[in-house]
Amino acid sequence: MKKVLHILFFFLITNQLLAQKSELANSYFEKGEFSKAVTFYEEFYKEKPFAQVNYPRLITCYQELKSYQKAEKLIKERIEKYSQYQCYVDLGYNYQLQKNNAEAVKNYEKAISLIKENQNYVYGIAREFENKVLVDYAIQAYELAIAENEHLNFDYQLSLLYGQKGDLEKMTQKLLDYANKNQNSVTLVQNMLARYMNEDAEANFSNQLRKSLLSRVQNEQDIFWNHFLSWYFVQQQDYEKAFVQERAIFKREGNNINKLISLTQAAVAENKIEVATEMADFVLNNTIDVQTQIVIQTIKNKITIKNSPKSAYNDIKTTFENQIQNYGITKSSIPLVIQIARFDGFELNNFNNAKAKIDQLLKLPLSAFEMGEVKGLLADLYLSNEKFNQAIVYYAQIQDDLKNHEIGHEAQFKMALTSYFKTDFDWAQKQFKVLKQSTSLLIANDALDYFLLINDVTQQDTVKVSLTKFAKADFLKFKKQNTQAQTAYTAILKEHAGEAIEDVTLYRLAQVNHDLALPKQAIANLELLLQKFPESLYRDDAYFLLGNWYSENIDLEKAKQNFENIIINHQNSIYFLEAQTKYRKLRGDQNI
């Protein structure tokens, strides 16, 4: 037993020493102290010639120390003893370092000629050329192997090599070939192409890719290329041309309805209303699936509400009621009924009609999440109609039922907001304090804003006169009674000038003026805010809104300046990433 323990102890100590030596050798090597590292690697190579790093690192040490003869001897021994023909590349490179180009070329060509004898040698030989950035030889190796054996495919490797050479046309062709032959890797290829497009400020690469894809669509008649071209046009945010491809796919396959729906939603998000409507109509006319029809109908309704004047609301109401009659109030139609009930309650201010639809939804066998969404709408309606206690009851129910879900967190926030609108500031403040630690970044940010608002104003105004007026103005804004809210905020600015409430009032007034289609007044409010309160908590919010509003008013230079201010001076802002994206778009970067 003692003997066994001694042996185990010996092996343990030996392994620890070997590990320490290996760590020391690697440390010397990585620091460039090759004269110290070489002794270790000579020992390691002697003991384990096939260990992954021993041979290449020993060769590197010799070459860095200009011990070329030692390197040559070791490489030739490797070829003779182990038939590792990729070592001809090492040998050629060893000559190249000595500026003996004739011998270098001779060995490179010897390595390539061996591929003709056995195409499997290409894997090691081409890899060695790549490791030494001998790009043309690596390309030659792969192409020879393919010429000798048509079953071999190195399109992906060749695409990377052509990319290194800057031959983007050949790189593109090889990547497209690879994607077509390995369709499970399409996403990988598209991600690579997207990166090149993002870095292509002059759009040369994007244009090359478009020409290549169009050529393949026209010449190969393979629907795979229609899918790929649709992807390309989406990257360019050219939804009209993407739709042309998806429509062609539908006529041939008829199984891309979900892609058409996603494309429609993307077009709506980018405010491409005309093509979004055309796509929605196409889907509606080409599906008998009720669930799909309802999804598309909600998208069309969203477009209608957003782009219609209030004078058209009665006609819209009639259209929506016809939709309810057509689809009924069922599990399938929940999203549509919620949308229409919200329109009734908030746009038409018809609480009874909205509640009647919600009551019918509540009779259905709803999931916890569906129940949370429906109750959330009902609570919002109660809140909007100043039925604060009823609103709090429903928000509390949602919070209890979905406490670990974002719907529950949002209900908790709205419960705090209801207390704030009621001017129960102490209770609201306690809830906002908890919510500013929310896992939802948006909720945490909003809760922090209200927490700081109440805290800052009450320190100066202990009886909360200005805060009470402000909360009532906020409630008018919440109810979309923007004209009354505008009057209320303006009065606060006059009556409480110089107080802690002034900067946030300017911010809110700007939002209301923008909603009232008064862009000059809105911009002026924010410019004044930044001028008078350069350290305001709302300065990054102001810069972001100014960037958006100047974009809307085609003053792109000022828009860029405001987004750039966030990028440079407010890197912790919740708007940072979005400001960065918008700035790059305005600057003319492609495919953001």
Side-chain angles (χ1 to χ4, degrees):
M1 184 64 182
K2 284 185 179 179
K3 187 177 181 181
V4 172
L5 288 173
H6 280 298
I7 293 171
L8 287 172
F9 181 73
F10 172 77
F11 277 115
L12 180 62
I13 294 298
T14 302
N15 285 335
Q16 284 179 340
L17 289 172
L18 285 173
Q20 288 173 359
K21 287 170 73 174
S22 177
E23 189 176 335
L24 188 58
N26 292 337
S27 175
Y28 286 140
F29 186 89
E30 286 160 10
K31 290 177 182 177
E33 296 180 20
F34 300 107
S35 59
K36 295 179 181 177
V38 69
T39 306
F40 287 105
Y41 286 117
E42 284 176 337
E43 180 185 340
F44 297 159
Y45 181 74
K46 188 175 181 181
E47 292 174 359
K48 295 182 179 179
F50 290 105
Q52 189 172 6
V53 300
N54 292 342
Y55 166 74
R57 288 204 166 185
L58 180 54
I59 292 293
T60 299
C61 286
Y62 285 150
Q63 290 171 342
E64 290 290 339
L65 295 169
K66 299 190 177 357
S67 300
Y68 299 118
Q69 284 68 38
K70 285 186 177 181
E72 182 178 338
K73 181 182 177 185
L74 182 60
I75 295 166
K76 286 181 175 178
E77 177 188 287
R78 192 97 172 168
I79 295 170
E80 186 178 346
K81 198 170 182 181
Y82 303 118
S83 300
Q84 291 192 333
Y85 298 125
Q86 67 268 27
C87 291
Y88 279 111
V89 180
D90 293 332
L91 189 58
Y93 190 69
N94 198 58
Y95 284 122
Q96 183 175 320
L97 291 173
Q98 299 173 72
K99 304 197 183 315
N100 187 344
N101 291 332
E103 284 297 318
V105 170
K106 178 181 172 182
N107 281 280
Y108 293 154
E109 289 179 349
K110 172 67 175 175
I112 287 174
S113 69
L114 289 167
I115 296 171
K116 200 161 188 173
E117 298 175 17
N118 186 336
Q119 288 79 59
N120 288 328
Y121 291 159
V122 72
Y123 296 99
I125 290 169
R127 185 181 63 247
E128 283 307 311
F129 280 130
E130 288 183 65
N131 289 342
K132 292 171 174 55
V133 201
L134 297 166
V135 175
D136 288 328
Y137 282 111
I139 290 172
Q140 193 178 339
Y142 283 127
E143 289 183 339
L144 176 60
I146 295 166
E148 294 294 323
N149 185 348
E150 62 182 14
H151 298 296
L152 292 174
N153 187 314
F154 297 111
D155 289 331
Y156 185 74
Q157 292 89 335
L158 284 166
S159 72
L160 298 179
L161 291 166
Y162 282 124
Q164 287 183 53
K165 285 189 69 174
D167 190 339
L168 297 183
E169 182 177 356
K170 284 187 178 178
M171 182 199 79
T172 302
Q173 298 303 338
K174 288 298 179 184
L175 272 177
L176 294 179
D177 288 341
Y178 176 76
N180 193 22
K181 293 169 189 170
N182 302 273
Q183 295 190 10
N184 289 335
S185 299
V186 168
T187 301
L188 168 70
V189 171
Q190 288 176 341
N191 288 340
M192 286 184 63
L193 293 170
R195 282 200 298 274
Y196 275 98
M197 285 191 283
N198 286 341
E199 296 165 5
D200 181 31
E202 309 246 335
N204 294 326
F205 177 75
S206 295
N207 291 333
Q208 174 61 50
L209 178 57
R210 178 177 57 81
K211 288 176 186 175
S212 297
L213 289 169
L214 284 169
S215 173
R216 290 179 185 238
V217 166
Q218 292 162 3
N219 297 327
E220 297 184 24
Q221 300 297 307
D222 185 343
I223 203 163
F224 173 81
W225 298 117
N226 296 94
H227 283 289
F228 215 119
L229 192 55
S230 173
W231 168 84
Y232 169 82
F233 285 129
V234 170
Q235 303 310 298
Q236 301 291 318
Q237 295 186 343
D238 191 340
Y239 297 103
E240 292 87 349
K241 290 178 182 174
F243 177 42
V244 169
Q245 297 306 314
E246 291 300 329
R247 189 164 50 197
I249 294 165
F250 183 84
K251 288 177 180 177
R252 289 174 64 180
E253 290 185 335
N255 62 355
N256 61 325
I257 282 288
N258 288 336
K259 181 64 184 295
L260 281 160
I261 292 171
S262 298
L263 193 61
T264 306
Q265 291 169 326
V268 171
E270 292 296 327
N271 208 33
K272 307 288 186 180
I273 301 306
E274 188 174 339
V275 68
T277 303
E278 188 181 355
M279 286 189 281
D281 288 337
F282 179 82
V283 174
L284 277 178
N285 292 331
N286 286 279
T287 184
I288 58 173
D289 180 68
V290 173
Q291 195 66 59
T292 300
Q293 290 175 357
I294 288 170
V295 169
I296 285 292
Q297 196 62 69
T298 58
I299 295 172
K300 286 195 69 176
N301 290 349
K302 182 178 180 180
I303 294 171
T304 299
I305 295 168
K306 184 178 179 182
N307 295 281
S308 298
K310 289 188 180 293
S311 58
Y313 278 7
N314 282 332
D315 291 337
I316 294 172
K317 176 187 174 185
T318 301
T319 301
F320 286 177
E321 291 300 332
N322 288 337
Q323 291 173 12
I324 296 282
Q325 288 294 319
N326 183 31
Y327 294 110
I329 297 180
T330 68
K331 285 274 287 181
S332 297
S333 66
I334 289 171
L336 180 65
V337 178
I338 285 176
Q339 182 185 53
I340 294 172
R342 188 172 289 280
F343 178 78
D344 284 346
F346 292 99
E347 304 301 334
L348 299 179
N349 295 315
N350 193 327
F351 175 83
N352 291 331
N353 273 5
K355 188 173 182 302
K357 292 180 177 68
I358 293 169
D359 286 343
Q360 286 182 266
L361 286 174
L362 289 171
K363 293 175 185 176
L364 299 174
L366 304 175
S367 70
F369 296 110
E370 290 168 339
M371 184 67 77
E373 191 174 4
V374 174
K375 283 184 176 181
L377 175 55
L378 181 56
D380 289 348
L381 283 168
Y382 277 132
L383 173 55
S384 185
N385 285 270
E386 301 185 43
K387 300 178 185 294
F388 299 121
N389 292 334
Q390 292 97 317
I392 287 172
V393 166
Y394 280 103
Y395 289 137
Q397 288 178 9
I398 299 166
Q399 183 194 351
D400 287 342
D401 293 340
L402 297 166
K403 57 173 61 75
N404 296 319
H405 191 272
E406 189 171 335
I407 294 173
H409 296 162
E410 186 178 357
Q412 187 181 3
F413 173 75
K414 286 187 174 178
M415 190 158 52
L417 196 61
T418 304
S419 297
Y420 166 76
F421 289 146
K422 282 177 65 180
T423 68
D424 187 353
F425 299 121
D426 292 338
W427 179 240
Q429 183 72 327
K430 289 177 184 176
Q431 294 176 85
F432 288 133
K433 185 176 182 179
V434 173
L435 283 162
K436 64 189 179 76
Q437 305 298 329
S438 172
T439 53
S440 166
L441 187 59
L442 287 173
I443 289 173
N445 191 66
D446 288 343
L448 178 62
D449 281 350
Y450 280 105
F451 176 83
L452 293 173
L453 167 69
I454 296 170
N455 190 62
D456 292 349
V457 174
T458 51
Q459 281 185 11
Q460 188 182 80
D461 179 8
T462 54
V463 293
K464 305 180 182 69
V465 175
S466 61
L467 186 60
T468 299
K469 294 176 185 178
F470 186 80
K472 289 180 178 178
D474 269 358
F475 188 50
L476 292 169
K477 180 176 179 292
F478 172 82
K479 294 193 292 182
K480 296 188 178 181
Q481 294 177 3
N482 289 321
T483 303
Q484 296 95 314
Q486 181 194 52
T487 302
Y489 289 130
T490 303
I492 293 169
L493 288 175
K494 290 178 182 176
E495 295 162 12
H496 299 277
E499 296 182 21
I501 201 80
E502 188 175 358
D503 63 336
V504 66
T505 305
L506 281 167
Y507 180 70
R508 291 283 207 277
L509 181 58
Q511 292 176 307
V512 166
N513 279 329
H514 184 264
D515 290 342
L516 288 169
L518 299 170
K520 289 183 179 178
Q521 290 92 320
I523 287 171
N525 295 143
L526 292 185
E527 298 282 14
L528 181 60
L529 163 61
L530 292 169
Q531 180 188 334
K532 287 188 71 174
F533 305 98
E535 300 303 316
S536 170
L537 291 171
Y538 298 91
R539 59 192 182 279
D540 62 322
D541 304 80
Y543 284 124
F544 186 73
L545 286 185
L546 282 171
N548 287 330
W549 295 348
Y550 276 125
S551 298
E552 292 169 4
N553 289 277
I554 324 299
D555 192 338
L556 302 187
E557 228 18 77
K558 285 188 177 177
K560 277 199 295 185
Q561 288 170 13
N562 282 282
F563 289 134
E564 189 176 27
N565 201 303
I566 294 175
I567 295 166
I568 295 172
N569 300 317
H570 301 280
Q571 295 182 5
N572 293 325
S573 170
I574 194 172
Y575 305 110
F576 176 78
L577 291 176
E578 196 174 351
Q580 199 173 48
T581 301
K582 288 174 179 281
Y583 176 77
R584 287 174 177 171
K585 278 186 181 179
L586 291 171
R587 192 174 60 183
D589 295 7
Q590 300 292 317
N591 308 299
I592 300 301

